[in-house]
Amino acid sequence: MEQTPKLAFVEQALAERAQQQQLRSLQPLHPIDAVRVTGYGQTLLNFTSNDYLGLSKHPQIIAAAQRYTAQYGTGATASRLVSGTYDIHLHLEEQLAAATGREAALLLNSGFQANATLLPALLDRQSLVLCDRLVHNSLIHGIRSSGARFIRYAHNDLNHLESALQQAVQQGVHRMAIVTETVFSMDGDCSDVEALIQLANQYGAILYLDDAHAVGVLGQRGMGLAADRPEVDIVVGTCGKAFGSFGAFVTCSRSLRQYLINFCPGFIYTTALPPAVIGAIEAALLLIPSLDAERLHLAQLSQTLRPELQALGYSTAASRSHIVPLVLGSETRTLHLSDWLKQQGILATAIRPPTVAAGTSRLRFALSSSHTVEHLQYLIQTIASWTDC
Ligand SMILES: *Cc1c(COP(=O)(O)O)cnc(C)c1O
């Protein structure tokens, strides 16, 4: 009998993507500084990076990573429960808890890994999850692998959320969780954390917030939109964005931290973060509370960009943060503008389905406090001079 080649699905999937003009590939870039890269044979002003405070190139942070590498080596050599917990891991966790005004903190190896593994540790097949329709893929991944039933409520629609909570209470669900983000990665809009706390309390639901785009940038001392809020059960922060390095952390109660150390596979069965990363996170954490001027500048950049884009007739959706989408709708126009900006020396990501809903293709500008007013003016002027043909 003729057998289909066992990897035929690979070629087929790639061909389908190519046919839909959605085949993606990796492009090498070389960083010059926090906002400029070389690539595509030129120097580009980068509006795609999540290095919101420019810390990935900060001399103090680089020095801290080098110092811990010299003192502790390049690897932590084992998982945390075996022999991969050094004094610097525990010390950093205490500092993270103190800085965020939360009871305890636990490091995880990335934001994706945190969401993918924390949710299954907290939920079971009998649980019900209510999550915002626009949450990040890693949260969906975690919810699905928990086996819990889940309902995606309309984006930021707390009436929809509340009616789902009411129904669940009537049905007698034994464990419920509300899962959402504080700043949404594709729209740059924010959740109403106070209202979510209220709903979670009222209906006895676990409140799980992904603060990936807010830590470092928003909230008290730049420590995120759930800082100083013990009512939020679980807050996930990443160190790959505003912290300028890598890794992630969860802040929670002491007993929940203890529970995760014992029951969370993605914490238990993986090598601890390396000393260089611990050094970088620690140095970033020392700097971040003092960066109010940078955060103000960053806020002013987005407060300039949004009305300028709107004056040119473009939608910036409900953005209220340093993430500013320019929603064009059509995939072709989005790709045109992205290509054209590249020709003018500007790097801006085109975001298309399936990452966002059909008909909402967009460019996503991620601003950094390392962008100058001149950088922003150049972006605005360049967009203004684009003729779509
Ligand atoms: C970037 C991001 C993550 C993933 O964090 P990494 O540390 O990059 O793995 C998780 N959640 C949200 C909302 C994000 O934007």
Side-chain angles (χ1 to χ4, degrees):
M1 203 175 74
E2 187 79 11
Q3 272 191 343
T4 318
K6 62 185 177 185
L7 291 177
F9 72 94
V10 173
E11 299 307 327
Q12 194 189 333
L14 290 173
E16 271 170 30
R17 274 287 166 92
Q19 211 220 333
Q20 295 156 355
Q21 294 191 319
Q22 287 181 353
L23 188 64
R24 313 186 62 189
S25 60
L26 300 172
Q27 295 300 330
L29 296 173
H30 186 85
I32 299 173
D33 57 27
V35 292
R36 288 179 312 149
V37 295
T38 53
Y40 305 94
Q42 57 185 323
T43 298
L44 294 156
L45 187 55
N46 191 1
F47 285 98
T48 68
S49 121
N50 303 317
D51 191 9
Y52 302 131
L53 298 169
L55 294 184
S56 74
K57 308 291 182 289
H58 196 287
Q60 263 164 265
I61 297 177
I62 294 171
Q66 289 169 335
R67 194 166 61 244
Y68 277 2
T69 301
Q71 287 173 6
Y72 292 85
T74 52
T77 77
S79 60
R80 290 287 302 274
L81 281 169
V82 178
S83 54
T85 296
Y86 295 164
D87 57 344
I88 52 177
H89 291 89
L90 292 177
H91 185 234
L92 176 56
E93 287 170 342
E94 280 163 20
Q95 289 173 301
L96 282 165
T100 53
R102 307 254 306 151
E103 199 173 290
L106 187 67
L107 290 163
L108 287 141
N109 286 8
S110 75
F112 188 98
Q113 189 165 331
N115 289 331
T117 196
L118 290 169
L119 286 159
L122 294 166
L123 302 164
D124 60 17
R125 299 191 151 275
Q126 282 75 51
S127 308
L128 174 70
V129 180
L130 304 160
C131 76
D132 190 285
R133 189 173 292 285
L134 294 190
V135 296
H136 192 261
N137 178 281
S138 55
L139 291 162
I140 298 297
H141 195 83
I143 294 167
R144 281 196 203 280
S145 68
S146 75
R149 192 157 68 83
F150 72 106
I151 297 171
R152 299 178 80 163
Y153 60 89
H155 178 51
N156 263 344
D157 183 342
L158 298 185
N159 292 325
H160 188 193
L161 171 61
E162 182 160 20
S163 67
L165 285 163
Q166 272 163 354
Q167 237 176 32
V169 168
Q170 275 161 17
Q171 291 166 358
V173 173
H174 92 128
R175 194 183 304 166
M176 276 193 297
I178 301 170
V179 174
T180 189
E181 294 174 23
T182 55
V183 175
F184 286 85
S185 45
M186 293 303 146
D187 287 57
D189 56 344
C190 304
S191 286
D192 183 343
V193 174
E194 291 309 315
L196 287 166
I197 289 173
Q198 233 262 299
L199 285 174
N201 276 347
Q202 189 178 340
Y203 293 94
I206 296 168
L207 182 55
Y208 185 115
L209 296 182
D210 184 336
D211 215 15
H213 294 283
V215 286
V217 180
L218 300 171
Q220 288 298 315
R221 310 173 301 283
M223 278 300 129
L225 291 177
D228 308 321
R229 297 311 308 251
E231 303 91 334
V232 185
D233 301 292
I234 293 271
V235 181
V236 172
T238 174
C239 303
K241 291 178 174 141
F243 275 63
S245 85
F246 185 70
F249 58 90
V250 50
T251 61
C252 54
S253 68
R254 265 185 214 97
S255 67
L256 199 42
R257 176 176 183 274
Q258 193 64 26
Y259 172 83
L260 294 172
I261 291 171
N262 285 276
F263 292 100
C264 182
F267 173 81
I268 299 169
Y269 299 104
T270 190
T271 304
L273 284 175
V277 168
I278 301 297
I281 299 173
E282 194 176 82
L285 190 61
L286 275 174
L287 277 167
I288 284 171
S290 70
L291 300 180
D292 280 339
E294 284 76 2
R295 281 186 283 273
L296 180 63
H297 172 64
L298 180 59
Q300 285 167 346
L301 290 175
S302 72
Q303 284 156 17
T304 306
L305 181 58
R306 282 187 294 266
E308 292 276 3
L309 293 178
Q310 287 157 12
L312 293 171
Y314 296 113
S315 159
T316 55
S319 165
R320 288 206 288 125
S321 68
H322 49 290
I323 298 170
V324 180
L326 185 170
V327 184
L328 288 153
S330 133
E331 284 191 58
T332 327
R333 286 187 77 213
T334 304
L335 288 176
H336 269 177
L337 180 53
S338 168
D339 284 345
W340 192 76
L341 288 176
K342 201 180 291 156
Q343 287 163 25
Q344 313 304 314
I346 292 172
L347 195 59
T349 333
I351 313 254
R352 299 181 289 153
T355 307
V356 293
T360 70
S361 290
R362 65 196 63 192
L363 293 186
R364 173 186 184 273
F365 300 113
L367 300 173
S368 165
S369 63
S370 296
H371 286 125
T372 62
V373 169
E374 290 71 32
H375 290 148
L376 196 75
Q377 288 310 325
Y378 181 63
L379 173 68
I380 293 164
Q381 282 160 20
T382 311
I383 294 168
S385 62
W386 178 52
T387 45
D388 181 20
C389 51

